[in-house]
Amino acid sequence: MLKIGKFEYICTEGEYANESTSNFQINPLIIIVFFIRQGTVEIVLKEYNNFPFMFIEKGYFFGEIDLLFGETRKHSYRAQTDCELLSINKKAFTKI
């Protein structure tokens, strides 16, 4: 389980799905999907001064498109509140 502090970035637009520039430790060679266990995550638009255009909460997930297609991330994800996230890497995800 990952504990993310309020306003910390989880992942940022433009990075590849197998990178992490966050303040917490994730193996940068593993592609990850995140599941929100507790808290609220905001999806922000970098080109609009990190304006939050959508909020996702407990029970939702993100990063699956990046994982499936191996593309650069299309949005930045930031914790709006203190969050607890679960994650799954591509190897485990494809077994499901």
Side-chain angles (χ1 to χ4, degrees), residues 22-69:
S22 306
N23 293 331
F24 54 91
Q25 297 295 317
I26 294 177
N27 183 337
L29 300 176
I30 299 174
I31 300 173
I32 296 174
V33 174
F34 296 96
F35 299 85
I36 304 170
R37 185 171 185 263
Q38 184 175 351
T40 302
V41 171
E42 53 190 18
I43 303 171
V44 298
L45 296 171
K46 189 176 182 179
E47 65 271 18
Y48 293 104
N49 200 26
N50 293 322
F51 176 78
F53 77 95
M54 183 182 286
F55 300 91
I56 52 179
E57 298 179 327
K58 178 181 177 178
Y60 286 88
F61 56 91
F62 58 94
E64 75 286 358
I65 301 300
D66 305 320
L67 179 138
L68 291 172
F69 297 106

Side-chain angles (χ1 to χ4, degrees), residues 69-95:
F69 297 106
E71 299 177 355
T72 59
R73 297 200 185 270
K74 304 297 183 220
H75 307 292
S76 295
Y77 299 87
R78 180 173 63 194
Q80 184 190 35
T81 63
D82 289 339
C83 292
E84 291 180 2
L85 304 176
L86 301 174
S87 61
I88 187 169
N89 64 34
K90 185 171 185 173
K91 184 176 179 181
F93 186 82
T94 55
K95 288 183 180 180

